[in-house]
Amino acid sequence: MLSLYGVNQAQVQRYLSARTEKEAVRSCYMAFPSLQLALALSCMMGLVMFACYCGEDYSEKLGRSSRDAMVIYFVMDMLQGLPGLPGLFVACLFSAALSTISSAFNSLATVTMEDLIKPYFPSMSEGRATKVSKALAMSYGLLCLAMAYVTHLMGDSVLQVALKIFGMVGGPILGLFCLGMFFPWANSIGAIAGLVAGLAVAFWVGIGSIITRISGTKLLPPSCHINTTAVIQTALSNVTSRPTGLQRFYSLSYMWYSAFNCSTVILIGLIISFLTGPMKEEEATPGTIYPLLGKLLCFLPEHLKKKLCCVTPLRQSIADQQRLHSHKESNGGASFQHTPSQEQTECFLSEVDSRVVERETSV
């Protein structure tokens, strides 16, 4: 949830569309109860499906369809006496999926344009940029179709594969943001090395688990009556025959992918940062670091926290501003007044929009 609602581009783009920060935070508080309600309804639907079809062999009814088609079969079976309602359910299902996918395509196209294409082609016209953005969205759509086909070959449920892939990618990104926000001594070399190492480990574990099929889902038992003795014997056999070596490494549950990859990025990033020279407190940008260690180690003396760089650089910047302000007042403001020359003014106005200059001057 942290990687999904904290550092995901699609979510952050929605936060930035809010008018104020309070509205963005309020949207999170409104989304979390709705999400829990949707998850509870999904779990209840699964329990009802299990009670309804328990002990039946539905492989002939579904044909060669995936097990994910069981939901559609359940809706068509239960609501077949109500004309139009099964179609309405399917239409709502696809419309919700398409709305989420379209926003993701737009986010990917926007990030690619702003961070990878425009820095190298700054003179690109608006019309050409729009065409390139649409082409990027279509390319990501084709890639999504290819990923859907690969997911179909995996045999696992769509939800499990989606969470597995998102944990492989979202976990390292969450670790990168946590490394930059909570650890002041992390430098850029350590951040890049940690991100690369986290992605490498994530894809290693994810692809290895898919190939070895260790973490694949298991089919439901054909009978509703559970034999307690058989269950205990199966559990004991699983304990005695645990996977060893790389297979045990690949057997990591997909629910732990995000946390494991996030921890990998933070650990590798800190090690590389200390080896290459940690960032000093005065070098950090003011207001970009949350003093997490300073709050956790509040029992330590102030000089030790200072040595551990647990103090937020925002305090240092405020102190510097206060000293500058007092120095300006003591000198009557004369030493800080500087009138630009005519050449400097013409050079500045040739590179910046005049409306921006007027607005900034008035402020």
Side-chain angles (χ1 to χ4, degrees):
M1 290 296 105
L2 282 176
S3 58
L4 178 61
Y5 287 95
V7 299
N8 189 20
Q9 160 64 18
Q11 292 298 127
V12 174
Q13 187 169 318
R14 293 186 176 95
Y15 298 152
L16 295 178
S17 64
R19 289 181 295 181
T20 60
E21 184 180 355
K22 290 184 178 180
E23 289 187 359
V25 174
R26 194 180 300 120
S27 67
C28 290
Y29 287 124
M30 293 175 65
F32 290 151
S34 304
L35 177 63
Q36 299 305 317
L37 178 62
L39 291 176
L41 291 176
S42 301
C43 294
M44 187 177 296
M45 186 177 183
L47 292 175
V48 171
M49 290 169 58
F50 177 77
C52 183
Y53 300 111
C54 183
E56 296 184 12
D57 187 11
Y58 51 84
S59 58
E60 296 181 358
K61 300 177 182 179
L62 294 178
R64 301 182 62 182
S65 301
S66 174
R67 283 170 292 167
D68 299 300
M70 192 66 197
V71 178
I72 306 297
Y73 173 78
F74 172 71
V75 172
M76 300 298 290
D77 189 20
M78 294 291 106
L79 304 179
Q80 59 183 347
L82 301 175
L85 199 56
L88 181 62
F89 175 82
V90 176
C92 293
L93 191 66
F94 278 97
S95 63
L98 289 175
S99 65
T100 305
I101 292 174
S102 62
S103 62
F105 289 161
N106 291 331
S107 300
L108 287 170
T110 301
V111 170
T112 306
M113 278 294 302
E114 296 296 330
D115 296 341
L116 300 179
I117 296 180
K118 280 191 175 180
Y120 298 98
F121 301 95
S123 60
M124 182 183 295
S125 62
E126 192 68 25
R128 188 174 181 83
T130 304
K131 293 180 181 178
V132 173
S133 180
K134 291 180 179 180
L136 287 172
M138 186 181 70
S139 302
Y140 284 122
L142 296 176
L143 180 61
C144 183
L145 289 176
M147 292 293 294
Y149 180 74
V150 174
T151 302
H152 174 70
L153 296 178
M154 289 179 184
D156 293 334
S157 64
V158 174
L159 181 61
Q160 180 174 345
V161 174
L163 291 176
K164 188 178 294 185
I165 295 175
F166 190 81
M168 292 162 56
V169 179
I173 297 177
L174 176 63
L176 181 65
F177 276 86
C178 292
L179 182 66
M181 289 189 297
F182 301 140
F183 301 95
W185 49 79
N187 55 24
S188 59
I189 301 176
I192 295 175
L195 179 62
V196 172
L199 288 173
V201 173
F203 281 96
W204 178 25
V205 177
I207 296 175
S209 66
I210 292 173
I211 294 175
T212 56
R213 312 289 300 168
I214 292 297
S215 59
T217 56
K218 297 181 180 179
L219 292 173
L220 292 175
S223 177
C224 295
H225 305 287
I226 301 176
N227 190 348
T228 308
T229 306
V231 170
I232 294 176
Q233 291 178 355
T234 305
L236 292 176
S237 64
N238 289 335
V239 170
T240 56
S241 62
R242 285 182 178 179
T244 58
L246 286 177
Q247 286 190 347
R248 188 174 182 179
F249 188 55
Y250 295 150
S251 64
L252 179 68
S253 173
Y254 66 94
M255 299 296 291
W256 286 101
Y257 278 10
S258 185
F260 175 72
N261 299 326
C262 177
S263 304
T264 302
V265 172
I266 294 176
L267 182 62
I268 299 298
L270 289 177
I271 293 175
I272 299 300
S273 297
F274 280 115
L275 292 177
T276 57
M279 181 180 290
K280 299 180 181 179
E281 181 185 354
E282 56 271 11
E283 297 176 354
T285 305
T288 58
I289 296 176
Y290 181 79
L292 180 64
L293 293 178
K295 293 183 179 297
L296 294 177
L297 304 177
C298 58
F299 53 89
L300 292 179
E302 193 68 25
H303 68 278
L304 289 179
K305 291 196 295 184
K306 185 75 174 179
K307 186 177 295 185
L308 292 173
C309 199
C310 299
V311 185
T312 172
L314 186 59
R315 298 177 184 174
Q316 182 70 24
S317 65
I318 294 175
D320 294 340
Q321 291 177 3
Q322 291 176 352
R323 286 197 298 268
L324 283 173
H325 184 68
S326 61
H327 187 274
K328 180 178 179 180
E329 289 181 350
S330 62
N331 291 338
S335 61
F336 289 89
Q337 294 179 357
H338 173 68
T339 303
S341 62
Q342 184 68 21
E343 296 180 356
Q344 294 176 342
T345 304
E346 291 177 356
C347 178
F348 178 74
L349 291 177
S350 62
E351 297 178 354
V352 184
D353 190 1
S354 60
R355 292 173 298 177
V356 179
V357 175
E358 292 172 358
R359 176 61 181 169
E360 291 293 318
T361 306
S362 63
V363 172

